[in-house]
Amino acid sequence: MKASFHPYTLQFKQASGTSRGVLRTKDTWFLVLESEGEKGIGECGMFRGLSVDDRPDFEEKLQWVCENINLGLDILVSELVELPSIQFGLEMAFKSLESPNGFDLFHSEFTTGKEAIPINGLIWMGSESFMKRQIKDKIEAGFTCIKMKIGAIDFQTEINLLKSIRKEFTSNDIELRVDANGAFSPQEALEKLKILSELDLHSIEQPIKQGQTDEMAKLCSETPLPIALDEELIGVFDVTKKQELLQTIRPQYIILKPTLVGGFKGSDEWISIAEQHKIGWWITSALESNVGLNAIAQYTYKKQNPLPQGLGTGGLFTNNFDSPLVVQQGNLCYDSTKQWKFNL
């Protein structure tokens, strides 16, 4: 077997704002396996500034993988515990190698186009008018679950935006989620959660920065609004540590980004522990190309979680790869009449 890796820069159609800054490009890496005339493709979508494997030797590790590919998936993954995006790229590439067309990784009613995955519509940060326009577009496009990034503009402005949705749509019509990306301080968080809870929201993601375990545990025990851990899960590799984290914080939900938590295997571990403790969960992409999104979507469908998932990122880039993934009426669907076009 031969392996090679190929860097690729995804270009956003428009600058996308979060509380950590404005995104214009997203770097990713493709791992290509070749064996007996067959090809397997995996995406190592390390996220600069967020992934635990955002480190200077990232490409050196990819080169090591290519030179040692014949060690096999299990050994390689076990050697790359602190590089979750490469673990995921390897899992994807090996599954791709076994797939009849390279992209049908988890054959199901989803990949045959018979069933779809409900997803949330994502509202990026920006000016009030920009955010209002996005909200209007998502509702017109048939989304019944909207996730709004908060924490970068004035809090009252964000509350007013949410109020404007609630004036028109009840929680039976539109489910609202907010994502603070750790923007609140522990001192102000509870008061802000009380204000947000009056708007009949589904949940808030990561209200305070990760790593403040005691403060987050206190917040989860007192909150009037369900809290979902996101960044908090990044960099927690050991199963015992995962158990300890969820037992200590006891969040209402966790959010899994396979690229950031060690792919299918890492996500399976988190889901198993969460379900033991009656903690809800859902899965989201982490701005991968359609190659990574495809793998995450197929894996997600197999889990049969009824909640809207965070998989609506395929249309963000100008230079994404053509794929059968399409968003229709707030669902991610697989249109088998569309062909993959993957050219590096």
Side-chain angles (χ1 to χ4, degrees):
M1 188 187 301
K2 289 196 305 183
S4 57
F5 74 90
H6 308 268
Y8 191 80
T9 301
L10 294 157
Q11 308 284 339
F12 280 84
K13 289 177 181 175
Q14 59 188 22
S16 298
T18 76
S19 60
R20 284 189 295 270
V22 176
L23 303 172
R24 292 181 174 83
T25 62
K26 166 69 170 58
D27 292 330
T28 196
W29 291 260
F30 293 99
L31 187 62
V32 178
L33 309 185
E34 296 175 75
S35 176
E36 298 177 358
E38 300 296 324
K39 192 175 277 192
I41 300 161
E43 181 170 1
C44 307
M46 183 267 282
F47 198 132
R48 296 198 189 279
L50 180 60
S51 295
V52 72
D53 46 8
D54 178 10
R55 38 193 261 188
D57 65 345
F58 185 79
E59 289 198 350
E60 285 175 35
K61 291 295 183 183
L62 277 171
Q63 186 59 42
W64 178 85
V65 165
C66 294
E67 290 167 1
N68 293 277
I69 198 67
N70 289 311
L71 290 173
L73 179 61
D74 291 345
I75 291 174
L76 289 168
V77 165
S78 69
E79 291 288 326
L80 295 161
V81 170
E82 296 184 3
L83 292 131
S85 67
I86 300 181
Q87 287 181 315
F88 188 33
L90 275 163
E91 286 182 321
M92 214 183 301
F94 274 88
K95 275 204 165 290
S96 172
L97 199 59
E98 296 164 6
S99 164
N101 67 356
F103 293 101
D104 193 349
L105 309 185
F106 294 91
H107 190 70
S108 68
E109 301 287 282
F110 173 68
T111 58
T112 56
K114 293 176 183 169
E115 292 198 11
I117 302 170
I119 60 173
N120 62 244
L122 183 57
I123 308 301
W124 294 93
M125 289 173 174
S127 67
E128 185 176 359
S129 60
F130 171 63
M131 292 176 81
K132 267 185 180 169
R133 190 167 71 248
Q134 290 181 83
I135 291 165
K136 184 170 178 285
D137 289 346
K138 294 298 180 193
I139 291 170
E140 287 177 355
F143 283 91
T144 56
C145 178
I146 290 175
K147 169 179 158 180
M148 192 171 109
K149 297 271 189 182
I150 64 171
I153 62 173
D154 175 66
F155 183 65
Q156 190 56 51
T157 301
E158 292 167 342
I159 293 297
N160 292 342
L161 281 168
L162 291 164
K163 277 183 178 175
S164 71
I165 302 172
R166 275 290 170 255
K167 274 180 189 168
E168 270 188 82
F169 302 96
T170 69
S171 58
N172 291 326
D173 302 317
I174 299 286
E175 180 179 285
L176 289 177
R177 301 172 175 175
V178 293
D179 182 2
N181 285 130
F184 302 161
S185 72
Q187 295 74 30
E188 67 182 357
L190 187 59
E191 193 55 42
K192 287 190 170 181
L193 295 187
K194 286 175 182 173
I195 294 166
L196 287 164
S197 71
E198 293 167 6
L199 296 164
D200 209 0
L201 306 185
H202 174 269
S203 56
I204 181 168
E205 292 181 35
Q206 203 68 43
I208 63 175
K209 281 191 174 64
Q210 72 264 43
Q212 304 177 87
T213 308
D214 292 342
E215 290 89 342
M216 187 67 90
K218 188 168 187 290
L219 205 52
C220 287
S221 70
E222 297 177 355
T223 183
L225 175 63
I227 289 173
L229 302 187
D230 179 359
E231 289 93 334
E232 203 75 52
L233 311 185
I234 297 170
V236 184
F237 306 120
D238 181 74
V239 176
T240 305
K241 296 287 185 191
K242 292 175 183 179
Q243 284 270 17
E244 285 174 4
L245 183 78
L246 295 192
Q247 282 177 340
T248 302
I249 296 180
R250 298 197 173 275
Q252 286 74 34
Y253 295 100
I254 61 171
I255 298 169
L256 300 159
K257 293 183 170 77
T259 291
L260 303 183
V261 300
F264 307 131
K265 183 173 180 285
S267 299
D268 283 345
E269 287 178 354
W270 279 114
I271 289 168
S272 174
I273 296 164
E275 290 181 344
Q276 286 169 28
H277 296 287
K278 297 183 169 48
I279 294 167
W281 58 271
W282 67 89
I283 295 171
T284 79
S285 52
L287 303 180
E288 299 85 0
S289 78
N290 279 335
V291 175
L293 179 61
N294 174 62
I296 295 167
Q298 291 185 33
Y299 168 78
T300 300
Y301 175 80
K302 295 291 271 190
K303 292 295 178 185
Q304 289 292 292
N305 182 324
L307 294 176
Q309 309 292 306
L311 304 175
T313 54
L316 293 174
F317 307 113
T318 60
N319 60 339
N320 210 339
F321 305 99
D322 291 346
S323 83
L325 296 170
V326 291
V327 176
Q328 294 175 344
Q329 290 295 305
N331 291 285
L332 185 67
C333 310
Y334 210 82
D335 183 349
S336 53
T337 66
K338 292 182 180 290
Q339 299 299 308
W340 276 96
K341 288 184 186 170
F342 180 76
N343 300 303
L344 288 172

